[in-house]
Amino acid sequence: MRVNKFVSTGIAVVACGSLVVAAAGPALAAAPEPAPTAAAPDTKAATAQRLETVANLGELLSLAAKIAAEAQSKTPDKAVLADLRQRYQAAADKLLKSVKARAAAPGGLPADAVKDVQDALAKLNKDVTELLAAVAAGDAPKVTAGIAKVVADLQALLAAVPKLAGGALPLPVPGG
């Protein structure tokens, strides 16, 4: 089996994403509690919310990588791509919803962290849509370029992870 640079990069991004998600889960769950205030959030609910955000991020990364891998196959299955696209969009919506919920909670995320995730998701959505259009058109050069863009977008989304944790993750960012 011949593996080219984009496939190996995609595999590396997925592997790095899995490592970040695996490392981020406990770090997010163990983030320091906010200083007690008159209306301190329920720590169990806050922990569940952090874990939900990490789970949604992991699901989104996985689905985007699967879309890129299927798009790059010799004969991409359009039905599989349509299913992956639908599941990807649901995961993106869940991630954005959980990020916004964390921002709205007392002691939640800073506004710039939410904006960074929104911007990264918007770019990723645009590039995934363009990639799928290139696959449908059978335009191999655009598919190759689209996969490179999706990989870069996934790396940008991973760069937003430390901000989601409130700076609590001393992790190196892949590709950074």
Side-chain angles (χ1 to χ4, degrees):
M1 182 171 142
R2 188 171 175 209
V3 177
N4 68 23
K5 183 171 121 179
F6 291 112
V7 171
S8 60
T9 303
I11 291 169
V13 167
V14 171
C16 290
S18 297
L19 290 174
V20 168
V21 170
L28 288 173
E33 292 185 35
T37 60
D42 178 15
T43 57
K44 200 175 216 182
T47 300
Q49 204 171 40
R50 285 187 200 109
L51 291 173
E52 179 185 351
T53 301
V54 172
N56 292 336
L57 176 64
E59 182 181 4
L60 181 81
L61 292 172
S62 175
L63 289 168
K66 286 177 184 179
I67 288 171
E70 181 64 28
Q72 191 170 17
S73 67
K74 280 191 178 222
T75 55
D77 186 340
K78 291 184 169 102
V80 169
L81 283 171
D83 178 56
L84 287 171
R85 171 61 182 190
Q86 187 177 30
R87 291 174 33 209
Y88 161 84
Q89 192 58 51
D93 293 343
K94 285 189 331 188
L95 174 62
L96 192 54
K97 183 180 175 184
S98 68
V99 167
K100 286 181 178 180
R102 284 194 51 212
L109 297 171
D112 67 329
V114 176
K115 182 171 178 358
D116 287 350
V117 171
Q118 284 177 317
D119 293 346
L121 277 175
K123 179 136 176 42
L124 181 61
N125 286 337
K126 175 185 163 283
D127 290 339
V128 164
T129 301
E130 289 175 0
L131 172 63
L132 294 175
V135 169
D139 189 344
K142 282 188 179 178
V143 169
T144 302
I147 290 171
K149 286 180 182 179
V150 168
V151 169
D153 294 342
L154 291 173
Q155 290 172 331
L157 189 57
L158 284 172
V161 170
K163 289 184 180 181
L164 288 178
L169 294 177
L171 299 173
V173 176

